[in-house]
Amino acid sequence: MISSDNGMPYWRLSGFYLFFFASIGAFVPYWSLYLDYLSYTPAQISQLMATSLATKIVAPYVWGWLADHSGMRASIIRIAALLGLVIFSVVLFVQGYWWMMVVLAGFSFFWNAMLPQFEATTLNHLGNDPHRYGRIRVWGSVGFILTASLLSPFFDTHGMKWLPYIVLVMLFGIFLITLWVKDTDSVVEVIDHPPMMRVLMQPHILALFAACFLLQASHGPYYTFFSLYVQQQGYSLSLVGQLWALGVLAEVIVFLRMHRWLPQYGAERLLLISIAVTALRWLLTALWPE
């Protein structure tokens, strides 16, 4: 594998983001369509998609605690990648609602554990050059755009039955990349923080958490039903993937401009603008889908 300056394994780190977000580009836009293909009801689809997202509440903290106390972050990432791959393969053999829920919960528990730990590994490799993070992370957006846009014409021709196999290929790619990424020496600083509840109960902290909660909640129906929604409006499956890719392309542009916007406008103003534009986005999507 090629390493960049100072021995930082640029392509190994970038490869993980490429495959990880490629798996998201295959799973998030199309899994609800696959469940619809299996004749699940809208209520069951929403519950199954919520199950895969709910593990984000628990998994990063459990695996983060293990990584911090064991010092074997890279090994934990490999284990999570392998177990996520193995558990997800079970979807090839089960289609019952409760079995699907168990499999998605188990798979997502390990899948959602990988990214936060890998982020920490990447930042450890970057050391005093965190500004180079964007050059690595952008490959994740590239992976998402490629799978979201290229899979839709494939599914148009060959059908949704191939989706689990494609996701498995992405998961296998993630596992292979983790075999080549090593831990770095890192120092854990112990800082005397004020009690957490005292921090959380500050009005501006409560307002920030409320804004983030509502913003994320507004994306719940989008992640679950957007693909089905636009198909019902008469869009082809090919356009579904292109619309998802367009959203991530906008994300890439924001990543590339954020280092200028933050000093110029400030985080608070950017957050308020983002929330307002998101609300307008949902309104336009609902009232004028054509």
Side-chain angles (χ1 to χ4, degrees):
M1 298 291 284
I2 300 173
S3 292
S4 66
D5 352 327
N6 303 323
M8 192 265 289
Y10 175 81
W11 290 113
R12 300 179 191 181
L13 300 175
S14 300
F16 176 88
Y17 289 104
L18 178 70
F19 277 100
F20 187 86
F21 283 92
S23 71
I24 294 178
F27 185 85
V28 173
Y30 299 110
W31 194 251
S32 60
L33 295 176
Y34 176 70
L35 294 176
D36 182 64
Y37 161 77
L38 294 180
S39 300
Y40 286 100
T41 67
Q44 290 174 327
I45 292 172
S46 64
Q47 291 158 10
L48 291 170
M49 295 297 288
T51 298
S52 63
L53 292 172
T55 57
K56 282 187 175 182
I57 301 173
V58 178
Y61 301 102
V62 172
W63 292 98
W65 183 89
L66 288 173
D68 289 340
H69 286 76
S70 68
M72 298 187 298
R73 196 176 305 277
S75 298
I76 286 175
I77 295 171
R78 288 186 205 106
I79 292 170
L82 177 61
L83 292 178
L85 170 64
V86 171
I87 294 174
F88 186 81
S89 67
V90 179
V91 301
L92 301 177
F93 310 103
V94 299
Q95 293 185 1
Y97 171 73
W98 289 109
W99 273 113
M100 184 67 75
M101 179 172 286
V102 170
V103 171
L104 288 179
F107 155 69
S108 300
F109 180 76
F110 296 104
W111 191 44
N112 289 325
M114 283 186 282
L115 184 60
Q117 302 313 310
F118 200 87
E119 293 275 61
T121 299
T122 299
L123 292 173
N124 285 338
H125 276 288
L126 288 172
N128 296 323
D129 300 313
H131 59 279
R132 298 167 66 188
Y133 170 81
R135 291 175 52 203
I136 298 172
R137 171 59 179 80
V138 73
W139 285 100
S141 299
V142 171
F144 186 101
I145 291 171
L146 287 175
T147 51
S149 58
L150 296 181
L151 286 179
S152 51
F154 175 85
F155 291 140
D156 256 341
T157 304
H158 301 285
M160 294 303 304
K161 63 182 180 180
W162 294 103
L163 177 59
Y165 298 95
I166 293 170
V167 175
L168 279 172
V169 171
M170 306 297 176
L171 296 177
F172 185 68
I174 294 172
F175 174 65
L176 288 181
I177 291 292
T178 63
L179 298 178
W180 286 304
V181 176
K182 308 299 181 184
D183 278 318
T184 59
D185 295 329
S186 59
V187 178
V188 178
E189 296 184 24
V190 179
I191 303 174
D192 186 21
H193 290 291
M196 181 179 292
M197 289 307 299
R198 187 193 303 171
V199 175
L200 292 178
M201 295 311 294
Q202 297 178 64
H204 63 284
I205 299 295
L206 288 174
L208 177 62
F209 270 90
C212 292
F213 172 83
L214 292 171
L215 186 62
Q216 291 297 315
S218 77
H219 282 73
Y222 170 69
Y223 288 139
T224 306
F225 292 115
F226 180 72
S227 296
L228 289 169
Y229 175 69
V230 293
Q231 270 204 314
Q232 291 173 0
Q233 300 300 323
Y235 288 86
S236 69
L237 188 55
S238 296
L239 278 175
V240 171
Q242 293 170 21
L243 290 172
W244 278 93
L246 179 63
V248 179
L249 180 61
E251 174 187 281
V252 173
I253 296 172
V254 171
F255 275 150
L256 296 176
R257 301 297 300 174
M258 189 57 69
H259 70 286
R260 295 183 182 274
W261 290 348
L262 270 175
Q264 185 175 357
Y265 300 108
E268 180 181 354
R269 185 177 297 177
L270 286 174
L271 177 62
L272 292 174
I273 292 172
S274 300
I275 293 173
V277 171
T278 302
L280 178 62
R281 175 193 186 186
W282 300 148
L283 184 65
L284 294 175
T285 303
L287 297 181
W288 292 284
E290 69 279 4

